[in-house]
């Protein structure tokens, strides 16, 4: 495991920002932290990286307690790009390189990667939000970290910038880096992550490989044949213990969830043996969005 | 690494240069003009710049300009909170103790700068406007300048503590001025003289006593302040205490 968070909690006065959060990030994963604004994503990462003090719980990086050494193996962008406004992009990265003890010769390379080499001598305060965000990404890459922690990395970027960040994340993941990505944008998580944890009001709602979280929520949509009434179909489904959550859909269709061992073909067979003939049977992959809304509603 | 990072932040920062130049120009201007002051119908003239007394007079005058250095340090520290760069530097691998060390380094640097300015001004006016110095007189009372250096570091440490505690520049600068001018004198007026002299403001100002204090004492009675040499170890203890407290305050969330 790259990062192990165990039983983290955080209180701000009377507010409980984080409640008994346990999360393990495997090496090589692209781990998405998903949740609405204020759900505790930044608090979780702030505690993981030592800028916030937990009210309870433990943090371990690479199997050890958080230290300067472990932090230098991690590149982190938390919430906002944090730089000196009066310094240029290059000067800011020079400061960051000193702090990270990174090779200053990497500065050109990372500026090139995020497309800011041409603006390197301009003051940070003259940058647009998107450029600031890209400079922050450049800074995280300076020390050639094994792990990247990116909190809302596409904040303020235009569609092209978002696509570029996505490509960058995918490229870094392909290089074997572990990436922890916090976002409230489902699309972003769904497109790049291998794992996801869903947070709501400081509590973990679900965590695991994206595939598991999504397939557990796949639904089959059943269209009854002309000789079958929806009521008869509902009754037949009720007799099958591995079918749950039967819901009416548009056009007289029904949808239901199967346990993970069962396939649509088995459902078709079981219904046919009860004299029910279907006009259509379709497996509908649930989007992360629907799953997310289901988890957090 | 740590101090090189600090220099990379400081050198391109215009505010730093403005305040450093202001400190030197205002102090030199004040010293230059006071030669023309007239007391009891007699111009002060060259006697003011005579070695070795010029050092203690200069140290006393310079103590009023510590405010500028304190404001500069407050700006440099509160900037880091405002820009969230302290937070970023902890994310990037620095410990809170290292953040404190960086700023302690800056405070020491500012105290050295102030000392060099005082030495420069003293030498310039002493040699160009003072009466011819007796052998050895130029360096005779340089101890006064060393005491001023400790005093500057003391005020800077207090400024740093307020900046780390309040995290906002306006608030910290206001607190820094109100502490010295209002809060401490008010509290001191309520405590007995034996305690009064150990308050930070009074103790630090005891390092650079008013020129001719002995004469004043005979007229107004003793001021109750410690002798500079007595105040020195306590002042250094305050410096250590202020930075320790700053470190404890920085352990809060960033």
């Amino acid at each position: 495991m790259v990062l192990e968070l165990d039983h983290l909690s955080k209180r701000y006065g009377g507010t409980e920002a984080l409640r008994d959060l346990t999360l393990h990030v495997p090496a090589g994963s692209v781990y998405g932290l998903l949740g609405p604004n204020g759900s505790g994503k930044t608090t979780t990462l702030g505690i993981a990286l030592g800028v916030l003090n937990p009210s309870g719980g433990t943090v371990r990086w690479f199997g050890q307690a958080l230290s300067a050494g472990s932090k230098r193996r991690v590149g982190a962008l938390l919430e906002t790009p944090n730089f000196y406004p009066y310094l240029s992009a290059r000067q800011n990265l020079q400061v960051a390189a000193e702090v990270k003890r990174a090779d200053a010769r990497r500065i050109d390379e990372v500026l090139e990667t995020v497309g800011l080499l041409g603006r390197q001598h301009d003051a940070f305060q003259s940058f647009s939000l998107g450029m600031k965000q890209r400079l922050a990404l450049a800074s995280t890459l300076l020390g050639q970290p094994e792990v990247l922690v990116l909190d809302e990395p596409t904040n303020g970027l235009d569609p092209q910038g978002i696509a570029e960040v996505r490509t960058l994340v995918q490229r870094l993941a392909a290089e074997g880096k572990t990436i922890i990505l916090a976002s409230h944008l489902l699309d972003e998580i769904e497109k790049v992550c291998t794992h996801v944890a869903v947070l709501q009001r400081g509590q973990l709602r679900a965590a695991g490989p994206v595939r598991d979280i999504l397939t557990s929520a796949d639904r089959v949509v059943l269209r009854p044949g002309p000789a079958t009434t929806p009521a008869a179909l509902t009754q037949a489904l009720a007799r099958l213990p591995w079918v749950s959550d039967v819901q009416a859909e548009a056009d007289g269709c029904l949808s239901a969830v199967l346990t993970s061992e069962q396939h649509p073909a088995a459902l078709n067979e079981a219904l046919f043996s009860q004299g029910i003939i279907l006009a259509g049977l379709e497996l509908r992959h649930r989007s992360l969005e629907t799953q997310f809304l289901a988890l957090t509603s | 690494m740590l101090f090189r990072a600090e220099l990379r932040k400081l050198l391109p920062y215009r505010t730093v240069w403005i305040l450093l130049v202001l400190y030197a120009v205002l102090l030199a201007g004040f010293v230059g003009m006071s030669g023309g002051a007239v007391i009891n119908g007699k111009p002060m003239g060259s006697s003011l710049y005579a070695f070795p007394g010029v050092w203690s007079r200069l140290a006393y005058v310079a103590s009023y300009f510590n405010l500028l250095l304190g404001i500069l340090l407050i700006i440099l520290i509160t900037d880091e909170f405002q820009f969230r760069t302290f937070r970023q530097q902890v994310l990037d691998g620095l410990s809170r103790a290292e953040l404190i060390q960086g700023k302690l380094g800056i405070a020491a640097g500012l105290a050295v700068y102030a000392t060099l300015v005082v030495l420069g001004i003293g030498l310039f006016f002493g040699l160009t406007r003072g009466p011819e110095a007796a052998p050895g007189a130029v360096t005779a009372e340089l101890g006064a300048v060393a005491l001023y250096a400790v005093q500057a570091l003391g005020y800077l440490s207090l400024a740093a503590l307020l900046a780390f505690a309040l995290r906002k520049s306006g608030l910290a600068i206001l607190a820094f001025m109100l502490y010295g001018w209002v809060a401490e004198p008010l509290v001191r007026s309520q405590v007995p003289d034996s305690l009064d002299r150990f308050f930070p403001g009074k103790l630090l100002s005891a390092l650079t006593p008013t020129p001719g204090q002995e004469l004043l004492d005979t007229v107004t009675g003793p001021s109750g302040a410690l002798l500079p040499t007595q105040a020195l170890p306590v002042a250094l203890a305050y410096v250590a205490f202020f930075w320790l407290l700053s470190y404890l305050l920085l352990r809060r969330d960033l």
Side-chain angles (χ1 to χ4, degrees), chain A residues 10 50-51 53 71 84 98, chain B residues 80 89-90 251 253-254:
Chain A
K10 175 72 177 171
V51 292
N53 303 304
K71 274 194 282 189
Y84 300 91
E98 297 286 357
Chain B
E80 304 266 13
Q89 281 154 33
V90 169
R251 286 172 60 174
D253 287 346
L254 282 173

Side-chain angles (χ1 to χ4, degrees), chain A residues 278-289:
Chain A
L278 296 173
L281 179 64
E282 170 198 348
L283 184 67
R284 187 199 289 158
H285 287 290
R286 208 171 188 188
S287 71
L288 191 54
E289 182 168 347

Side-chain angles (χ1 to χ4, degrees), chain A residues 266-282:
Chain A
L267 178 66
N268 194 19
E269 198 181 337
L271 289 173
F272 188 75
S273 69
Q274 291 186 51
I276 304 269
I277 295 170
L278 296 173
L281 179 64
E282 170 198 348

Side-chain angles (χ1 to χ4, degrees), chain A residues 90 107-121:
Chain A
R90 168 169 285 275
I107 291 175
D108 282 338
E109 206 177 317
V110 296
L111 281 171
E112 176 79 62
T113 304
V114 300
L116 282 178
L117 201 55
R119 298 289 301 269
Q120 60 171 317
H121 297 300

Side-chain angles (χ1 to χ4, degrees), chain B residues 220-235:
Chain B
T220 60
S223 70
L226 294 176
L227 291 172
T229 45
Q230 294 171 317
L232 180 64
V234 190

Side-chain angles (χ1 to χ4, degrees), chain B residues 147-211:
Chain B
L147 286 167
Y148 168 69
V150 175
Q151 183 194 59
L153 185 63
Y155 278 117
L156 284 163
S157 308
L158 178 63
L161 173 61
L162 292 169
F164 281 110
L166 300 170
R167 299 187 171 191
K168 297 211 161 42
S169 62
L171 217 56
I173 290 170
L174 194 68
F176 186 51
M177 298 199 292
L178 283 182
Y179 177 81
W181 294 340
V182 182
E184 190 188 296
L186 214 62
V187 177
R188 277 206 323 252
S189 68
Q190 304 299 313
V191 300
D193 278 356
S194 54
L195 275 180
D196 166 85
R197 64 184 70 169
F198 290 105
F199 274 72
K202 180 143 185 179
L203 186 114
L204 290 174
S205 64
L207 290 168
T208 57
T210 320

Side-chain angles (χ1 to χ4, degrees), chain A residues 1 3-8 20-26 31-33 44-45 58 60 180 196-199 204 206-208:
Chain A
M1 288 291 160
L3 171 65
E4 294 157 274
L5 304 174
D6 286 294
H7 307 291
L8 288 191
D20 196 34
L21 180 109
T22 294
L23 201 66
H24 293 176
V25 177
Y31 207 112
L33 270 186
T44 304
L45 296 177
T58 55
R60 291 174 76 77
I180 303 172
V196 66
V198 180
L199 279 174
L204 192 65

Side-chain angles (χ1 to χ4, degrees), chain B residues 19 22-24 26-28 30-31 56-71 114 118 147-149 151-152 155 176-177 180-181 188 201-202 204-211 213 216:
Chain B
L19 281 168
L22 206 61
Y23 171 86
L26 287 179
L27 183 58
F30 185 86
V31 172
S56 53
R57 282 191 285 275
L58 199 52
Y60 172 74
V61 171
S63 71
Y64 284 90
F65 292 84
N66 287 330
L67 181 67
L68 278 175
L69 302 175
I71 288 173
V118 166
L147 286 167
Y148 168 69
Q151 183 194 59
Y155 278 117
F176 186 51
M177 298 199 292
W181 294 340
R188 277 206 323 252
K202 180 143 185 179
L204 290 174
S205 64
L207 290 168
T208 57
T210 320
Q213 183 65 50
L216 280 175

